[in-house]
């Protein structure tokens, strides 16, 4: 079973390898095999092998960037140099007999083992990519550092500190939009450090973030096909960040939505402000329902402030990008985990939010879903593992708290709303995180690509219907399916 899982992991991870990275690995593994198997190796052949290997590594470094996971591959490049050095000092001798054959077999075995490790390392920890967006638009993006002068920052000790939020907007761009694709994280260092501390794992495991690029082009011209585009706000979960659902955001934007991601400062993994300051995740009492109900108020206020800023941009954008292009009459919201709870609260409490999706978020917050439902379009997405999580928690007190919280789902589908339960899925699968390694995905027991496509298809169908008045394509197919169950109230 473990061998089968590892083999599948390596195969799927290979799909993430970058083209020059893959070419460099192939050339150097072939070079290693030739160095071991060839009985005679002329100086000219060695120099040619060295040149080809070095050129492949050089182009990979220039075009894609070098990373520590490829070090075993890079080291193969220097083997011809070592052999040439030895040959220049010692006269090569032809060796025959049983001893030389044993040494040859041993060398071949070690080379094979080394080759397996060299290839597996960049595959198990790949520079992951996002599926090409399916819609008719390219993607532009811009980031803002906004300060709410009306609110004091409660997570800092300095008197007079105001609430400061990093906000990223992704928007439809013309198909011919040109420019360099944006990094997944503009400054990946703090996130690698943050994940390392949170998960108690080596920081090196998370350095691949710095090489990951998206399909978005910074400051691209906004598409002119529509006079204005519906707006969707995205709220991450505790210790998440505004980019954590890029797999979903890019697909929605490509279909004609403007998506606004919010970093909830001090509750996100890290918020990197425009001047380089970093606001780190502050530990909070995430085991207390009372604390989380109250903490959600701060997130709701964050969203309300961002909505106000968007209204200002729609009226007058100093850069002229969004003036008149944000359709503030068609605003929806979606969020993961605590951000999903925030989306639900905003739907209940703010008339500007016309429809919302909660992705696996327990319904924390001051207001409860009333009997009869929300009276506004709502879709709850749940992982089947999450609905059973209380049964796996050894701490009985904590398990009972989770069970009590899950009862808040009782009326979510009332009044004609929807509840989508995805099979073989867990809480983290609703974000990009498992893309960091196919091995982690396999250990979690989920099929991430399939789950992400279900999330994307149903998110698009939901918002297309309730914000663009398009006919339903999927949400009208209520019932049990092989990969999910769809309920309607």
């Amino acid at each position: 079973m473990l061998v089968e899982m590892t083999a599948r992991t390596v195969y799927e991870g290979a799909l993430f390898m970058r083209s020059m990275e893959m070419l460099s690995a192939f050339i150097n593994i072939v070079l290693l095999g030739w160095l071991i198997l060839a009985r005679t190796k002329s100086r000219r052949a060695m120099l040619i092998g060295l040149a080809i290997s070095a050129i492949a590594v050089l182009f990979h470094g220039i075009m894609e960037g070098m990373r520590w996971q490829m070090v075993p591959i890079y080291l193969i490049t220097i083997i011809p140099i070592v052999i040439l050095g030895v040959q220049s000092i010692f006269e090569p001798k032809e060796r025959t007999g049983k001893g030389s054959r044993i040494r040859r077999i041993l060398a071949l075995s070690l080379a094979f083992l080394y080759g397996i490790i060299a290839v597996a390392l960049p595959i198990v920890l790949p520079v992951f990519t996002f599926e090409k967006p399916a819609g008719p638009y390219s993607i532009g993006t811009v980031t803002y550092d906004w300060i709410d002068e009306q609110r004091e920052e409660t997570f800092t000790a300095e008197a007079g500190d105001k609430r400061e939020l990093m906000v990223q907007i992704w928007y439809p761009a013309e198909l011919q939009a040109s420019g360099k694709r944006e990094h997944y994280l503009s400054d990946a260092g703090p996130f690698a450090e943050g994940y390392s501390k949170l998960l108690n794992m080596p920081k090196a495991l998370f350095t691949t973030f710095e090489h990951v690029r998206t399909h978005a082009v910074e400051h691209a011209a906004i598409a002119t096909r529509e006079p204005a585009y519906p707006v969707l706000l995205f709220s991450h979960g505790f210790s998440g960040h505004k980019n954590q659902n890029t797999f979903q955001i890019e697909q929605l934007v490509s279909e004609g939505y403007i998506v606004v991601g919010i970093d909830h400062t001090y509750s996100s993994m890290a918020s990197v402000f425009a001047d380089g300051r970093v606001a780190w995740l502050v530990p909070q009492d995430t085991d207390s329902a009372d604390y989380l109900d109250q903490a959600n108020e701060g997130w709701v206020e964050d969203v309300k402030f961002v909505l106000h800023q968007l209204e200002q941009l729609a009226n007058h954008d100093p850069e002229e990008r969004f003036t008149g292009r944000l359709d503030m009459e068609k605003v929806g919201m979606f969020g993961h985990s605590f951000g999903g709870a925030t989306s639900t609260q905003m739907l209940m409490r703010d008339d500007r939010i016309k429809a919302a999706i909660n992705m696996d978020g327990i319904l924390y917050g001051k207001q409860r879903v009333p009997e009869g439902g929300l009276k506004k379009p709502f879709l709850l997405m749940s992982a089947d593992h999450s609905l059973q999580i209380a049964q796996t928690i050894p701490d009985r007190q904590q398990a009972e708290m989770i069970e009590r919280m899950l009862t808040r789902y009782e009326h979510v589908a009332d009044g004609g709303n929807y509840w989508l339960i995805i099979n073989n899925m867990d809480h983290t699968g609703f974000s990009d995180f498992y893309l960091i390694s196919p091995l982690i995905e396999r250990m979690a027991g989920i099929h991430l690509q399939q789950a992400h496509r279900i999330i994307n298809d149903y998110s698009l169908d939901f918002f297309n219907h309730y914000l663009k008045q398009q006919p339903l394509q999927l949400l009208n197919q209520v019932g049990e399916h092989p990969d999910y169950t769809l309920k309607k109230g």
Side-chain angles (χ1 to χ4, degrees):
M1 182 67 181
L2 180 60
V3 173
E4 180 183 347
M5 183 180 77
T6 304
R8 187 173 179 182
T9 296
V10 170
Y11 168 73
E12 294 188 355
L15 301 179
F16 286 115
M17 287 189 74
R18 299 173 293 177
S19 54
M20 287 306 302
E21 191 172 274
M22 190 178 296
L23 178 62
S24 178
F26 174 76
I27 288 174
N28 276 3
I29 291 299
V30 170
L31 175 63
L32 180 62
W34 175 73
L35 291 170
I36 296 297
L37 295 174
R39 290 186 175 276
T40 58
K41 296 178 279 291
S42 68
R43 181 178 293 271
R44 183 170 181 271
M46 297 277 280
L47 289 172
I48 291 173
L50 170 62
I52 293 173
S53 172
I55 290 171
V57 170
L58 179 64
F59 272 91
H60 150 64
I62 293 173
M63 296 171 63
E64 299 172 334
M66 302 178 82
R67 60 193 186 105
W68 71 263
Q69 291 89 345
M70 288 285 289
V71 166
I73 294 291
Y74 304 150
L75 291 177
I76 296 174
T77 303
I78 69 173
I79 293 178
I81 299 175
V82 174
I83 294 176
L84 286 170
V86 171
Q87 286 183 347
S88 67
I89 298 173
F90 303 101
E91 189 69 26
K93 295 180 181 179
E94 185 70 22
R95 290 190 176 96
T96 58
K98 184 176 179 180
S100 64
R101 284 197 298 273
I102 292 174
R103 284 192 294 271
R104 189 179 183 83
I105 292 172
L106 179 60
L108 187 59
S109 300
L110 291 174
F112 178 76
L113 179 62
Y114 184 85
I116 291 292
I117 295 172
V119 171
L121 194 55
I123 288 176
V124 171
L125 291 171
V127 176
F128 60 85
T129 58
F130 295 102
E131 190 171 300
K132 184 175 171 40
Y137 294 98
S138 290
I139 301 169
T141 190
V142 62
T143 302
Y144 296 93
D145 185 335
W146 285 336
I147 299 176
D148 185 352
E149 298 291 351
Q150 305 305 312
R151 279 197 298 159
E152 297 289 321
E153 179 54 77
T154 59
F155 285 103
T156 60
E158 292 294 325
D161 280 356
K162 301 299 182 182
R163 183 69 168 162
E164 186 173 3
L165 301 173
M166 289 305 297
V167 175
Q168 186 165 353
I169 301 179
W170 296 264
Y171 53 89
E174 300 293 355
L175 272 178
Q176 64 270 26
S178 60
K180 198 170 185 179
R181 295 195 306 168
E182 276 295 286
H183 283 93
Y184 177 52
L185 299 169
S186 58
D187 186 351
F191 291 89
E193 186 173 340
Y195 278 116
S196 173
K197 291 178 179 177
L198 181 68
L199 302 175
N200 197 26
M201 298 172 71
K203 181 180 176 180
L205 295 177
F206 305 101
T207 55
T208 51
F209 283 135
E210 66 183 278
H211 300 287
V212 176
R213 289 188 179 272
T214 68
H215 294 96
V217 176
E218 188 175 21
H219 297 141
I222 191 168
T224 57
R225 181 180 303 189
E226 299 291 338
Y229 298 94
V231 177
L232 302 175
L233 295 104
F234 172 70
S235 179
H236 60 76
F238 259 116
S239 75
H241 52 90
K242 65 182 184 302
N243 308 86
Q244 69 162 57
N245 278 55
T246 294
F247 83 90
Q248 182 182 23
I249 289 169
E250 290 197 334
Q251 294 293 343
L252 288 166
V253 175
S254 78
E255 296 286 354
Y257 290 91
I258 293 175
V259 178
V260 182
I262 306 166
D263 266 341
H264 296 282
T265 315
Y266 300 108
S267 296
S268 62
M269 178 60 67
S271 289
V272 183
F273 297 120
D275 60 4
R277 289 175 295 118
V278 178
W280 298 99
L281 173 69
V282 172
Q284 297 172 52
D285 189 2
T286 54
D287 292 331
S288 167
D290 290 339
Y291 175 84
L292 293 173
D293 283 341
Q294 182 59 43
N296 192 259
E297 287 298 296
W299 290 43
V300 166
E301 291 303 315
D302 285 348
V303 179
K304 288 182 177 181
F305 167 68
V306 169
L307 269 173
H308 173 74
Q309 294 294 102
L310 293 174
E311 289 169 339
Q312 301 303 307
L313 279 180
N315 289 330
H316 175 64
D317 180 357
E319 297 180 357
E320 296 300 325
R321 181 178 296 106
F322 295 120
T323 303
R325 309 307 303 278
L326 300 163
D327 190 343
M328 299 306 293
E329 296 300 315
K330 296 178 179 177
V331 180
M333 187 169 176
F334 64 108
H336 172 232
S337 192
F338 205 68
T342 305
S343 299
T344 310
Q345 290 292 314
M346 285 296 298
L347 184 67
M348 289 190 284
R349 297 164 59 177
D350 196 309
D351 291 338
R352 291 173 292 182
I353 304 297
K354 302 300 191 292
I357 297 175
N358 176 338
M359 294 181 290
D360 216 42
I362 290 177
L363 300 179
Y364 294 112
K366 284 194 171 181
Q367 286 194 208
R368 302 286 169 266
V369 177
E371 185 175 353
L374 295 167
K375 310 302 182 186
K376 294 168 77 174
F378 180 68
L379 168 60
L380 173 66
M381 295 184 182
S382 295
D384 60 344
H385 293 184
S386 297
L387 297 178
Q388 302 163 10
I389 193 169
Q391 303 167 19
T392 66
I393 298 175
D395 186 327
R396 196 58 230 159
Q397 186 175 356
Q398 187 180 9
E400 289 173 354
M401 186 202 83
I402 295 295
E403 288 176 345
R404 287 197 305 274
M405 294 301 101
L406 290 177
T407 62
R408 295 183 179 184
Y409 288 160
E410 184 178 2
H411 301 296
V412 292
D414 287 3
N417 280 325
Y418 304 92
W419 190 354
L420 180 70
I421 302 171
I422 303 177
N423 299 335
N424 301 311
M425 178 65 159
D426 73 2
H427 188 67
T428 305
F430 282 92
S431 71
D432 301 328
F433 183 75
Y434 283 151
L435 290 172
I436 197 170
S437 173
L439 184 60
I440 298 177
E441 173 193 344
R442 287 296 145 219
M443 291 172 65
I446 70 173
H447 194 304
L448 193 65
Q449 187 177 50
Q450 176 179 286
H452 281 182
R453 285 179 179 170
I454 291 172
I455 293 166
N456 286 341
D457 289 346
Y458 276 87
S459 298
L460 183 63
D461 193 44
F462 177 80
F463 286 126
N464 276 351
H465 182 67
Y466 290 107
L467 296 184
K468 293 186 177 182
Q469 291 72 53
Q470 295 182 9
L472 290 174
Q473 303 294 323
L474 299 171
L475 285 166
N476 53 3
Q477 301 172 26
V478 177
E480 293 189 11
H481 302 263
D483 300 315
Y484 56 89
T485 298
L486 178 62
K487 300 179 181 181
K488 182 178 180 180

